[in-house]
Short mmCIF file of all heavy atoms in Angstrom, two decimals:
data_model
loop_
_atom_site.label_atom_id
_atom_site.label_comp_id
_atom_site.label_asym_id
_atom_site.label_seq_id
_atom_site.Cartn_x
_atom_site.Cartn_y
_atom_site.Cartn_z
N ARG A 1 -63.97 -174.99 -130.28
CA ARG A 1 -63.88 -176.15 -131.16
C ARG A 1 -62.86 -175.86 -132.27
O ARG A 1 -62.59 -174.75 -132.60
CB ARG A 1 -65.27 -176.38 -131.82
CG ARG A 1 -66.28 -176.99 -130.90
CD ARG A 1 -67.54 -177.37 -131.60
NE ARG A 1 -68.60 -176.47 -131.36
CZ ARG A 1 -69.87 -176.61 -131.76
NH1 ARG A 1 -70.20 -177.69 -132.40
NH2 ARG A 1 -70.80 -175.72 -131.51
N GLY A 2 -62.27 -176.97 -132.75
CA GLY A 2 -61.33 -176.85 -133.87
C GLY A 2 -59.87 -176.74 -133.47
O GLY A 2 -59.00 -176.69 -134.33
N TYR A 3 -59.59 -176.76 -132.17
CA TYR A 3 -58.19 -176.72 -131.73
C TYR A 3 -57.83 -178.06 -131.05
O TYR A 3 -58.62 -178.64 -130.27
CB TYR A 3 -58.00 -175.61 -130.64
CG TYR A 3 -58.02 -174.24 -131.29
CD1 TYR A 3 -59.19 -173.61 -131.67
CD2 TYR A 3 -56.84 -173.50 -131.48
CE1 TYR A 3 -59.23 -172.35 -132.22
CE2 TYR A 3 -56.83 -172.24 -132.01
CZ TYR A 3 -57.99 -171.68 -132.40
OH TYR A 3 -58.04 -170.40 -132.92
N VAL A 4 -56.63 -178.58 -131.30
CA VAL A 4 -56.21 -179.83 -130.69
C VAL A 4 -55.50 -179.48 -129.39
O VAL A 4 -54.82 -178.48 -129.27
CB VAL A 4 -55.32 -180.66 -131.60
CG1 VAL A 4 -56.10 -181.18 -132.80
CG2 VAL A 4 -54.10 -179.85 -132.08
N THR A 5 -55.63 -180.36 -128.41
CA THR A 5 -55.03 -180.16 -127.11
C THR A 5 -53.66 -180.80 -127.07
O THR A 5 -53.46 -181.93 -126.60
CB THR A 5 -55.95 -180.77 -125.98
OG1 THR A 5 -57.28 -180.26 -126.11
CG2 THR A 5 -55.41 -180.40 -124.59
N THR A 6 -52.73 -180.01 -127.53
CA THR A 6 -51.33 -180.47 -127.56
C THR A 6 -50.45 -179.28 -127.69
O THR A 6 -50.93 -178.20 -128.13
CB THR A 6 -51.05 -181.48 -128.70
OG1 THR A 6 -49.73 -181.94 -128.65
CG2 THR A 6 -51.29 -180.81 -130.06
N VAL A 7 -49.22 -179.39 -127.37
CA VAL A 7 -48.21 -178.28 -127.44
C VAL A 7 -47.89 -178.03 -128.86
O VAL A 7 -47.76 -176.83 -129.30
CB VAL A 7 -46.98 -178.56 -126.60
CG1 VAL A 7 -45.89 -177.47 -126.83
CG2 VAL A 7 -47.32 -178.65 -125.13
N SER A 8 -47.72 -179.04 -129.71
CA SER A 8 -47.44 -178.92 -131.09
C SER A 8 -48.16 -180.00 -131.88
O SER A 8 -48.52 -181.04 -131.29
CB SER A 8 -45.93 -178.92 -131.40
OG SER A 8 -45.39 -180.18 -130.95
N ASP A 9 -48.36 -179.81 -133.17
CA ASP A 9 -49.09 -180.83 -133.94
C ASP A 9 -48.35 -181.06 -135.26
O ASP A 9 -48.11 -180.13 -136.03
CB ASP A 9 -50.52 -180.33 -134.25
CG ASP A 9 -51.38 -181.39 -134.95
OD1 ASP A 9 -51.65 -182.39 -134.35
OD2 ASP A 9 -51.65 -181.15 -136.14
N GLU A 10 -48.03 -182.34 -135.52
CA GLU A 10 -47.30 -182.72 -136.70
C GLU A 10 -48.08 -182.46 -137.99
O GLU A 10 -47.54 -182.31 -139.05
CB GLU A 10 -46.88 -184.18 -136.64
CG GLU A 10 -45.85 -184.44 -135.49
CD GLU A 10 -45.48 -185.91 -135.46
OE1 GLU A 10 -46.13 -186.70 -136.15
OE2 GLU A 10 -44.57 -186.22 -134.67
N LEU A 11 -49.44 -182.42 -137.88
CA LEU A 11 -50.24 -182.19 -139.04
C LEU A 11 -50.51 -180.69 -139.35
O LEU A 11 -51.21 -180.35 -140.26
CB LEU A 11 -51.59 -182.88 -138.88
CG LEU A 11 -51.50 -184.41 -138.63
CD1 LEU A 11 -52.93 -185.01 -138.45
CD2 LEU A 11 -50.85 -185.08 -139.85
N GLY A 12 -49.94 -179.85 -138.53
CA GLY A 12 -50.09 -178.40 -138.73
C GLY A 12 -51.44 -177.84 -138.30
O GLY A 12 -51.78 -176.73 -138.70
N ARG A 13 -52.16 -178.59 -137.49
CA ARG A 13 -53.48 -178.08 -137.01
C ARG A 13 -53.32 -177.03 -135.88
O ARG A 13 -52.24 -176.93 -135.29
CB ARG A 13 -54.36 -179.24 -136.54
CG ARG A 13 -54.72 -180.27 -137.63
CD ARG A 13 -55.43 -181.47 -136.99
NE ARG A 13 -54.56 -182.20 -136.09
CZ ARG A 13 -54.92 -183.30 -135.49
NH1 ARG A 13 -56.15 -183.76 -135.62
NH2 ARG A 13 -54.07 -183.92 -134.68
N LYS A 14 -54.35 -176.23 -135.74
CA LYS A 14 -54.32 -175.23 -134.67
C LYS A 14 -54.31 -175.97 -133.30
O LYS A 14 -55.03 -176.92 -133.07
CB LYS A 14 -55.54 -174.33 -134.71
CG LYS A 14 -55.63 -173.50 -136.05
CD LYS A 14 -56.90 -172.64 -136.03
CE LYS A 14 -58.13 -173.47 -136.13
NZ LYS A 14 -59.34 -172.57 -136.26
N THR A 15 -53.44 -175.48 -132.38
CA THR A 15 -53.38 -176.10 -131.05
C THR A 15 -53.80 -175.05 -130.03
O THR A 15 -53.84 -173.83 -130.28
CB THR A 15 -51.97 -176.56 -130.75
OG1 THR A 15 -51.14 -175.42 -130.33
CG2 THR A 15 -51.34 -177.28 -131.92
N VAL A 16 -54.12 -175.52 -128.80
CA VAL A 16 -54.51 -174.63 -127.77
C VAL A 16 -53.41 -173.62 -127.43
O VAL A 16 -53.69 -172.56 -126.87
CB VAL A 16 -54.92 -175.43 -126.51
CG1 VAL A 16 -56.20 -176.20 -126.79
CG2 VAL A 16 -53.83 -176.32 -125.99
N MET A 17 -52.18 -173.95 -127.73
CA MET A 17 -51.08 -173.03 -127.46
C MET A 17 -51.16 -171.79 -128.27
O MET A 17 -50.60 -170.76 -127.89
CB MET A 17 -49.72 -173.72 -127.69
CG MET A 17 -49.51 -175.01 -126.90
SD MET A 17 -49.90 -174.89 -125.11
CE MET A 17 -48.74 -173.64 -124.62
N ASP A 18 -51.86 -171.82 -129.39
CA ASP A 18 -52.07 -170.64 -130.26
C ASP A 18 -52.93 -169.59 -129.50
O ASP A 18 -52.94 -168.43 -129.86
CB ASP A 18 -52.72 -171.01 -131.57
CG ASP A 18 -51.90 -171.94 -132.38
OD1 ASP A 18 -50.66 -171.75 -132.37
OD2 ASP A 18 -52.41 -172.78 -133.14
N LEU A 19 -53.60 -170.01 -128.44
CA LEU A 19 -54.52 -169.13 -127.73
C LEU A 19 -53.92 -168.58 -126.43
O LEU A 19 -54.50 -167.75 -125.73
CB LEU A 19 -55.86 -169.83 -127.42
CG LEU A 19 -56.57 -170.42 -128.59
CD1 LEU A 19 -57.62 -171.41 -128.15
CD2 LEU A 19 -57.22 -169.32 -129.38
N VAL A 20 -52.73 -169.07 -126.12
CA VAL A 20 -52.08 -168.66 -124.80
C VAL A 20 -50.86 -167.75 -125.14
O VAL A 20 -49.87 -168.17 -125.72
CB VAL A 20 -51.61 -169.93 -124.05
CG1 VAL A 20 -50.96 -169.51 -122.73
CG2 VAL A 20 -52.78 -170.83 -123.82
N ASN A 21 -50.96 -166.48 -124.76
CA ASN A 21 -49.93 -165.54 -124.97
C ASN A 21 -49.21 -165.25 -123.66
O ASN A 21 -49.55 -164.36 -122.91
CB ASN A 21 -50.53 -164.24 -125.54
CG ASN A 21 -49.47 -163.18 -125.89
OD1 ASN A 21 -48.31 -163.56 -126.09
ND2 ASN A 21 -49.84 -161.94 -125.93
N ILE A 22 -48.19 -166.10 -123.42
CA ILE A 22 -47.48 -165.97 -122.18
C ILE A 22 -46.02 -166.40 -122.41
O ILE A 22 -45.72 -167.32 -123.19
CB ILE A 22 -48.09 -166.82 -121.05
CG1 ILE A 22 -47.53 -166.44 -119.70
CG2 ILE A 22 -47.99 -168.29 -121.34
CD1 ILE A 22 -48.28 -167.03 -118.54
N ASP A 23 -45.07 -165.70 -121.79
CA ASP A 23 -43.66 -165.99 -121.95
C ASP A 23 -43.16 -167.06 -120.95
O ASP A 23 -42.37 -166.81 -120.07
CB ASP A 23 -42.87 -164.71 -121.77
CG ASP A 23 -41.38 -164.88 -122.16
OD1 ASP A 23 -41.09 -165.82 -122.91
OD2 ASP A 23 -40.51 -164.11 -121.67
N ALA A 24 -43.76 -168.24 -121.11
CA ALA A 24 -43.33 -169.37 -120.29
C ALA A 24 -43.73 -170.65 -121.05
O ALA A 24 -44.64 -170.63 -121.86
CB ALA A 24 -44.05 -169.29 -118.91
N ARG A 25 -43.12 -171.74 -120.72
CA ARG A 25 -43.33 -172.99 -121.38
C ARG A 25 -44.39 -173.77 -120.65
O ARG A 25 -44.10 -174.71 -119.89
CB ARG A 25 -42.02 -173.78 -121.49
CG ARG A 25 -42.10 -175.01 -122.38
CD ARG A 25 -40.72 -175.46 -122.77
NE ARG A 25 -39.76 -175.38 -121.66
CZ ARG A 25 -38.41 -175.39 -121.83
NH1 ARG A 25 -37.90 -175.56 -122.99
NH2 ARG A 25 -37.63 -175.35 -120.79
N VAL A 26 -45.65 -173.41 -120.87
CA VAL A 26 -46.77 -174.09 -120.21
C VAL A 26 -47.27 -175.23 -121.15
O VAL A 26 -46.96 -175.24 -122.32
CB VAL A 26 -47.90 -173.12 -119.88
CG1 VAL A 26 -47.44 -172.07 -118.89
CG2 VAL A 26 -48.51 -172.48 -121.14
N TYR A 27 -48.10 -176.10 -120.59
CA TYR A 27 -48.67 -177.18 -121.36
C TYR A 27 -50.02 -177.55 -120.77
O TYR A 27 -50.32 -177.31 -119.60
CB TYR A 27 -47.76 -178.41 -121.38
CG TYR A 27 -47.38 -178.91 -120.03
CD1 TYR A 27 -48.14 -179.93 -119.37
CD2 TYR A 27 -46.26 -178.50 -119.33
CE1 TYR A 27 -47.87 -180.41 -118.14
CE2 TYR A 27 -45.95 -178.98 -118.09
CZ TYR A 27 -46.72 -179.94 -117.51
OH TYR A 27 -46.37 -180.41 -116.28
N PRO A 28 -50.91 -178.14 -121.59
CA PRO A 28 -52.24 -178.53 -121.06
C PRO A 28 -52.23 -179.69 -120.13
O PRO A 28 -51.49 -180.60 -120.31
CB PRO A 28 -53.00 -178.83 -122.38
CG PRO A 28 -51.99 -179.18 -123.35
CD PRO A 28 -50.75 -178.42 -123.02
N VAL A 29 -53.13 -179.60 -119.16
CA VAL A 29 -53.27 -180.70 -118.16
C VAL A 29 -54.55 -181.46 -118.59
O VAL A 29 -55.60 -180.93 -118.51
CB VAL A 29 -53.43 -180.18 -116.74
CG1 VAL A 29 -53.55 -181.32 -115.78
CG2 VAL A 29 -52.19 -179.30 -116.41
N GLY A 30 -54.39 -182.70 -119.00
CA GLY A 30 -55.55 -183.45 -119.55
C GLY A 30 -55.84 -183.03 -120.92
O GLY A 30 -55.11 -182.33 -121.59
N ARG A 31 -57.03 -183.46 -121.39
CA ARG A 31 -57.35 -183.26 -122.85
C ARG A 31 -58.80 -182.89 -123.00
O ARG A 31 -59.68 -183.25 -122.21
CB ARG A 31 -57.04 -184.53 -123.66
CG ARG A 31 -55.61 -184.77 -123.94
CD ARG A 31 -55.40 -185.96 -124.82
NE ARG A 31 -54.03 -186.11 -125.23
CZ ARG A 31 -53.45 -185.47 -126.25
NH1 ARG A 31 -54.14 -184.63 -126.98
NH2 ARG A 31 -52.15 -185.67 -126.48
N LEU A 32 -59.06 -182.16 -124.12
CA LEU A 32 -60.34 -182.06 -124.76
C LEU A 32 -60.10 -182.35 -126.20
O LEU A 32 -59.18 -181.74 -126.81
CB LEU A 32 -60.95 -180.66 -124.53
CG LEU A 32 -61.56 -180.35 -123.17
CD1 LEU A 32 -61.90 -178.85 -123.14
CD2 LEU A 32 -62.81 -181.17 -122.91
N ASP A 33 -60.92 -183.18 -126.84
CA ASP A 33 -60.69 -183.51 -128.25
C ASP A 33 -60.95 -182.32 -129.14
O ASP A 33 -61.52 -181.28 -128.72
CB ASP A 33 -61.44 -184.73 -128.69
CG ASP A 33 -62.93 -184.59 -128.69
OD1 ASP A 33 -63.40 -183.56 -129.21
OD2 ASP A 33 -63.64 -185.47 -128.17
N LYS A 34 -60.57 -182.41 -130.39
CA LYS A 34 -60.62 -181.28 -131.34
C LYS A 34 -62.00 -180.67 -131.45
O LYS A 34 -62.16 -179.46 -131.57
CB LYS A 34 -60.16 -181.77 -132.71
CG LYS A 34 -60.14 -180.71 -133.81
CD LYS A 34 -59.45 -181.29 -135.04
CE LYS A 34 -59.55 -180.31 -136.22
NZ LYS A 34 -60.94 -180.23 -136.80
N ASP A 35 -63.05 -181.48 -131.40
CA ASP A 35 -64.42 -180.99 -131.62
C ASP A 35 -65.11 -180.61 -130.30
O ASP A 35 -66.28 -180.21 -130.30
CB ASP A 35 -65.23 -182.09 -132.35
CG ASP A 35 -64.73 -182.35 -133.73
OD1 ASP A 35 -64.32 -181.36 -134.39
OD2 ASP A 35 -64.72 -183.47 -134.16
N SER A 36 -64.44 -180.78 -129.19
CA SER A 36 -65.01 -180.39 -127.89
C SER A 36 -64.49 -179.01 -127.45
O SER A 36 -63.51 -178.47 -127.98
CB SER A 36 -64.67 -181.46 -126.82
OG SER A 36 -65.17 -182.66 -127.20
N GLU A 37 -65.15 -178.46 -126.46
CA GLU A 37 -64.80 -177.10 -126.05
C GLU A 37 -64.92 -177.01 -124.55
O GLU A 37 -65.33 -177.95 -123.84
CB GLU A 37 -65.72 -176.10 -126.71
CG GLU A 37 -67.22 -176.32 -126.49
CD GLU A 37 -68.14 -175.47 -127.33
OE1 GLU A 37 -68.01 -174.24 -127.28
OE2 GLU A 37 -68.96 -176.07 -128.08
N GLY A 38 -64.48 -175.85 -124.00
CA GLY A 38 -64.71 -175.59 -122.58
C GLY A 38 -63.44 -175.54 -121.76
O GLY A 38 -62.33 -175.23 -122.29
N LEU A 39 -63.59 -175.85 -120.51
CA LEU A 39 -62.54 -175.62 -119.50
C LEU A 39 -61.32 -176.48 -119.71
O LEU A 39 -61.46 -177.73 -119.68
CB LEU A 39 -63.11 -175.81 -118.08
CG LEU A 39 -62.38 -175.21 -116.90
CD1 LEU A 39 -63.29 -175.17 -115.66
CD2 LEU A 39 -61.11 -175.93 -116.56
N LEU A 40 -60.15 -175.84 -119.82
CA LEU A 40 -58.91 -176.51 -119.96
C LEU A 40 -57.90 -175.80 -119.06
O LEU A 40 -57.86 -174.61 -119.05
CB LEU A 40 -58.44 -176.59 -121.40
CG LEU A 40 -57.19 -177.43 -121.71
CD1 LEU A 40 -57.52 -178.96 -121.50
CD2 LEU A 40 -56.66 -177.17 -123.11
N ILE A 41 -57.11 -176.52 -118.33
CA ILE A 41 -56.08 -175.91 -117.45
C ILE A 41 -54.70 -176.15 -118.06
O ILE A 41 -54.40 -177.26 -118.51
CB ILE A 41 -56.18 -176.48 -115.98
CG1 ILE A 41 -57.49 -176.09 -115.37
CG2 ILE A 41 -55.00 -176.00 -115.17
CD1 ILE A 41 -57.79 -176.64 -114.01
N LEU A 42 -53.85 -175.09 -118.04
CA LEU A 42 -52.50 -175.18 -118.55
C LEU A 42 -51.59 -174.69 -117.42
O LEU A 42 -51.93 -173.80 -116.62
CB LEU A 42 -52.25 -174.34 -119.77
CG LEU A 42 -53.15 -174.74 -120.98
CD1 LEU A 42 -54.35 -173.75 -121.02
CD2 LEU A 42 -52.37 -174.63 -122.28
N THR A 43 -50.39 -175.24 -117.35
CA THR A 43 -49.44 -174.88 -116.29
C THR A 43 -48.03 -175.23 -116.68
O THR A 43 -47.79 -175.94 -117.70
CB THR A 43 -49.80 -175.65 -114.97
OG1 THR A 43 -49.01 -175.17 -113.86
CG2 THR A 43 -49.56 -177.17 -115.11
N ASN A 44 -47.05 -174.75 -115.94
CA ASN A 44 -45.69 -175.17 -116.05
C ASN A 44 -45.18 -175.81 -114.76
O ASN A 44 -44.00 -176.02 -114.59
CB ASN A 44 -44.77 -174.01 -116.44
CG ASN A 44 -44.78 -172.87 -115.43
OD1 ASN A 44 -45.69 -172.80 -114.58
ND2 ASN A 44 -43.81 -171.99 -115.50
N ASP A 45 -46.11 -176.08 -113.90
CA ASP A 45 -45.83 -176.68 -112.58
C ASP A 45 -46.12 -178.20 -112.70
O ASP A 45 -47.27 -178.67 -112.67
CB ASP A 45 -46.77 -176.10 -111.51
CG ASP A 45 -46.44 -176.59 -110.09
OD1 ASP A 45 -45.84 -177.65 -109.99
OD2 ASP A 45 -46.83 -175.92 -109.12
#
């Protein structure tokens, strides 16, 4: 909870990309809102 599902956020909020430590330009597939949690898939494919 507390993370927005986006690559970057204009409001400066924490994004799911802050949790992914990988040297590739991946992005989330689909969404979970800021107050929701659980399974999220990210890819560069």
Side-chain angles (χ1 to χ4, degrees):
R1 286 188 256 189
Y3 288 77
V4 292
T5 305
T6 183
V7 173
S8 60
D9 184 68
E10 295 179 352
L11 301 178
R13 295 173 295 181
K14 296 180 293 185
T15 79
V16 293
M17 304 311 299
D18 297 327
L19 302 167
V20 181
N21 184 21
I22 192 169
D23 188 22
R25 191 161 39 194
V26 299
Y27 57 90
V29 181
R31 285 185 174 274
L32 282 173
D33 66 47
K34 179 172 175 287
D35 296 322
S36 298
E37 55 190 303
L39 198 164
L40 187 68
I41 293 175
L42 302 97
T43 187
N44 61 342
D45 184 339

